[in-house]
Amino acid sequence: MNYYISDLHLFHEASIRFDNRPFASLEEMHEAVVSRWNNKVNNGDNVMNEQWFLLGDIHGSAQPVHYFYQKNKERLSLDSSENFMILLGDVGANFALTGQRDHKFKSELSKLPFTFICLRGNHEARVKTVMDKNPDGWETISKYDGSIFVEKEFPHIEYLADGPAVYNFKSYKTLSLPGAYSVDKYYRQARHLTWYKDEQLNEKEMELGRKLCRNEAPFDLVLSHTCPYLYEPTDLFLAGLDQSTVDSTMERYLGEIEFNLDYKRWAFGHFHEDRLYPWADGRQMLMLFNENIVNLDKFMNMTEKQSFKDIIA
């Protein structure tokens, strides 16, 4: 028999309080875990640990994940675990749409022992666009208490909805808010490079996001590609780019959502740097690029005194 398990939180005393576990001490919790494990698992059974990770923009390169795997496969038992990696947009799996680029990249990702969960960024096509080009090669699957989209040839690369949606990732109720504006839009257009005019959420999709916030909150986790307006890292803005030409519709929309939403953690990519924002009333905002991979549980359960290095996988 194969069993899958996660969130044991052994030696994690704070989890008793955070999760309202019915134990007076770590020792009592450990005794209960061991007893229930031995009552269920027999010799010959396989117990697979479930691990969840967060990573920012990888732009069509499997190298950041490959490096992480090679460096940590033994320490984290990656070959004997069920591993999930949430990618915060600009994955690059559906960027070119023609030629061999996308296929080669998906093939490289698929060699690694992870299930990749892809949020749409700005430098990639909507899933509907790709599915419409090859409807027989794709399927819609009910998973994570929502709908995801999978290319049959690459079943371990999963795509979230093109618009706002609610999911349940590792028991964390999650709101996904895809899309962003490309600051290099006019550069790309002038040189006939790939650019997607539907990269941002449209008004109908924005209204859906507002409705989900009204009806589904509170949320444990929010995932977006860009960030709420007040959290924009202005020090990372491209030098020489006239900011008056940049469309900040998505950032202002996310700012509206963030201001009114009851949430615990928010993670985004887009700005090509890792940054943990100051703790604010129990909420934590995280920006990720492609150098460091974050452990989702550590991020969700971190305390005000902890730093970015404490949540790295």
Side-chain angles (χ1 to χ4, degrees), residues 210-229:
R210 296 183 182 101
K211 182 178 179 181
L212 292 176
C213 290
R214 291 194 299 269
N215 297 338
E216 298 283 350
F219 290 98
D220 299 306
L221 176 64
V222 181
L223 305 173
S224 61
H225 182 54
T226 186
C227 67
Y229 187 75

Side-chain angles (χ1 to χ4, degrees), residues 54-60 85-94 105 117-125 158-160 176-180 223-226 267-272 288-290:
L54 292 168
L55 179 62
D57 313 28
I58 57 175
H59 291 290
M85 187 170 293
I86 298 173
L87 302 175
L88 298 170
D90 281 6
V91 178
N94 297 315
F105 172 54
I117 301 170
C118 305
L119 179 76
R120 182 177 62 82
N122 51 296
H123 288 312
E124 52 206 347
E158 303 172 343
Y159 302 87
L160 303 184
S176 67
L177 297 167
L223 305 173
S224 61
H225 182 54
T226 186
F268 64 94
H270 192 48
F271 294 98
H272 294 191
L288 283 176
F289 188 31
N290 63 12

Side-chain angles (χ1 to χ4, degrees), residues 225-272:
H225 182 54
T226 186
C227 67
Y229 187 75
L230 290 179
Y231 292 87
E232 281 191 312
T234 56
D235 58 306
L236 301 179
F237 285 0
L238 294 177
L241 179 66
D242 182 358
Q243 291 299 315
S244 67
T245 67
V246 175
D247 182 354
S248 61
T249 299
M250 274 295 299
E251 288 75 22
R252 294 182 184 278
Y253 168 70
L254 294 177
E256 169 199 333
I257 294 294
E258 195 271 338
F259 181 79
N260 294 295
L261 187 63
D262 185 355
Y263 72 95
K264 184 178 179 182
R265 301 286 184 267
W266 190 309
F268 64 94
H270 192 48
F271 294 98
H272 294 191

